[in-house]
């Protein structure tokens, strides 16, 4: 199975696209995540993500993410959490390192996938 983050943007207008993806793929929705990190100034910033079950064909498991553009006290967080609750789940909050710590964004996403696997939020590689 291929598990991959698909970056939608930084959480400004694209959070509405993420909500729409969650609503239109209700049967495939698995988990909603809120990743908290600190930017270069030490201010907390949030990333929101939604993991979906693989499509019937293709064996690809997407995790859509709006990366590090949401301030910790933003109303956009409440919008995301309410969308997750409408699907019968609770957003999973995790503290992670900021993506700027990694030499390349693909290493950041690989690290997040490993953390999600270790916590049994997404299935192991098969």
């Amino acid at each position: 199975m291929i598990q991959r983050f698909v970056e939608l943007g930084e959480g400004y207008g694209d959070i509405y696209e993420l909500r729409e993806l969650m609503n239109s793929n209700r049967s495939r929705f698995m988990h909603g995540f809120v990743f908290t990190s600190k930017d270069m100034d030490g201010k907390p910033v949030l990333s929101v993500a939604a993991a979906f079950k693989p499509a019937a064909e293709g064996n690809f498991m997407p995790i859509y993410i709006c990366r590090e553009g949401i301030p910790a006290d933003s109303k956009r967080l409440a919008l995301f959490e309410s969308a997750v609750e409408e699907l019968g789940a609770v957003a999973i909050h995790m503290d992670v390192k900021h993506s700027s710590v990694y030499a390349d964004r693909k290493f950041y996403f690989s690290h997040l996938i490993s953390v999600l696997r270790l916590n049994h939020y997404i299935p192991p590689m098969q």
Side-chain angles (χ1 to χ4, degrees):
M1 172 184 326
I2 298 168
Q3 298 163 328
R4 186 174 301 139
F5 274 91
V6 178
E7 189 170 0
L8 297 175
E10 296 181 351
Y12 299 104
D14 44 289
I15 195 163
Y16 298 104
E17 181 65 22
L18 180 59
R19 286 174 47 109
E20 188 62 32
L21 284 167
M22 292 164 60
N23 284 326
S24 63
N25 291 289
R26 289 176 172 268
S27 63
R28 293 180 53 211
F29 177 79
M30 289 177 64
H31 299 290
F33 301 100
V34 177
F35 301 119
T36 304
S37 60
K38 295 195 187 227
D39 67 9
M40 298 302 224
D41 298 327
K43 295 178 185 175
V45 291
L46 307 175
S47 300
V48 294
F52 293 89
K53 297 174 188 167
E57 295 180 19
N59 214 20
F60 172 70
M61 180 183 176
I63 307 166
Y64 294 97
I65 187 167
C66 300
R67 186 183 51 86
E68 298 169 341
I70 304 171
D73 58 349
S74 174
K75 291 185 180 183
R76 287 175 277 171
L77 175 60
L79 284 172
F80 176 75
E81 288 179 326
S82 69
V84 171
E85 288 173 9
E86 288 171 14
L87 296 172
V90 175
I92 299 163
H93 289 254
M94 302 179 92
D95 290 331
V96 298
K97 292 181 181 180
H98 196 271
S99 65
S100 64
V101 172
Y102 298 86
D104 192 296
R105 199 167 297 151
K106 68 181 178 183
F107 299 131
Y108 171 69
F109 289 140
S110 293
H111 174 76
L112 288 181
I113 286 173
S114 299
V115 169
L116 296 178
R117 281 186 196 141
L118 285 170
N119 285 286
H120 304 284
Y121 293 126
I122 60 175
M125 292 292 289
Q126 296 176 340

